[in-house]
Amino acid sequence: MAFSYQIQDQGAVHFVTFTVHQWVDVFTRDIYREKIVESLRYCQIYKGLEIFSWVLMTNHCHLILRAKEENLSDIIRDFKKFTAKSLFSLIKENPLESRREWLSKMFSIENRIWFWEEGYHGEEIYSREFFAQKSNYIHLNPVRAGFVEKEEEYIWSSAADFYGIRKGKLEIEVFG
């Protein structure tokens, strides 16, 4: 039996990873990536989610985040539940999705949607050094994957914000 990570301090800053079920490369189309960004933005505005660093890859995303007022576990649960349903619907309704049938089968089991893997591999950020290590890891993901040469070139992350090159797709908080 696998044990999922339990957030102990709901107000602490955490590094989390959300992985697509069976590591399916679904975030290859802007329509799906924009849904994730839109949903994170909603959580920032209406649920008090603070995001310090983030990256969206083809089959997972990493974030460093904190809940200002609510329970972080609840925000994560709601985010994953909402995006699973929304993305599943977008896939099924997208006439340009060549993998529609296959993706629909991959993300459903016994008439239930299974978009995200269970859990979110959380780690509490306990120091500036650990924050810097995790932020570097996050921002270098697209470089390691061969998507870009420099992390700040990747628009689906907070790297350009970190370097002051351009405003990113999400509001980024300053750690400290």
Side-chain angles (χ1 to χ4, degrees):
M1 178 180 186
F3 294 96
S4 61
Y5 177 76
Q6 299 278 327
I7 291 177
Q8 301 303 313
D9 182 351
Q10 294 292 331
V13 177
H14 280 78
F15 167 81
V16 296
T17 300
F18 305 146
T19 305
V20 174
H21 179 59
Q22 296 191 27
W23 289 85
V24 173
D25 289 320
V26 70
F27 300 120
T28 56
R29 300 186 190 280
D30 284 348
I31 188 172
Y32 309 140
R33 291 186 284 236
E34 288 294 347
K35 179 54 74 177
I36 293 294
V37 170
E38 173 189 308
S39 298
L40 287 169
R41 194 175 301 120
Y42 177 91
C43 290
Q44 287 179 299
I45 295 168
Y46 297 104
K47 293 182 172 276
L49 183 68
E50 296 179 310
I51 299 174
F52 298 89
S53 185
W54 68 279
V55 66
L56 178 59
M57 300 298 287
T58 60
N59 55 21
H60 68 283
C61 59
H62 298 293
L63 301 105
I64 296 178
L65 40 69
R66 171 175 61 198
K68 265 194 296 198
E69 300 148 11
E70 289 192 36
N71 182 309
L72 182 57
S73 296
D74 289 349
I75 294 173
I76 290 171
R77 179 202 62 223
D78 293 349
F79 169 81
K80 288 178 75 176
K81 184 176 180 179
F82 175 79
T83 55
K85 289 178 181 178
S86 298
L87 290 163
F88 188 74
S89 292
L90 279 175
I91 290 165
K92 287 183 77 164
E93 297 166 7
N94 186 352
L96 302 176
E97 180 55 73
S98 59
R99 306 174 301 161
R100 183 172 33 189
E101 293 300 317
W102 179 75
L103 288 171
S104 294
K105 288 179 184 172
M106 291 300 294
F107 296 140
S108 63
I109 185 167
E110 299 175 3
N111 294 323
R112 293 182 59 198
I113 298 169
W114 188 357
F115 185 86
W116 298 108
E117 289 290 348
E118 194 174 319
Y120 44 84
H121 181 73
E123 294 181 64
E124 188 171 329
I125 302 294
Y126 53 83
S127 68
R128 287 187 187 278
E129 293 77 22
F130 192 50
F131 173 80
Q133 175 191 7
K134 290 300 183 183
S135 283
N136 288 336
Y137 175 82
I138 286 171
H139 293 146
L140 287 171
N141 250 236
V143 175
R144 286 190 298 271
F147 298 159
V148 292
E149 286 187 27
K150 298 177 183 174
E151 60 265 32
E152 64 269 19
E153 296 170 348
Y154 193 66
I155 66 169
W156 301 101
S157 85
S158 54
D161 276 314
F162 265 63
Y163 298 122
I165 293 172
R166 70 174 176 280
K167 183 93 176 84
K169 294 181 175 286
L170 294 168
E171 289 294 320
I172 301 302
E173 302 294 328
V174 176
F175 181 78

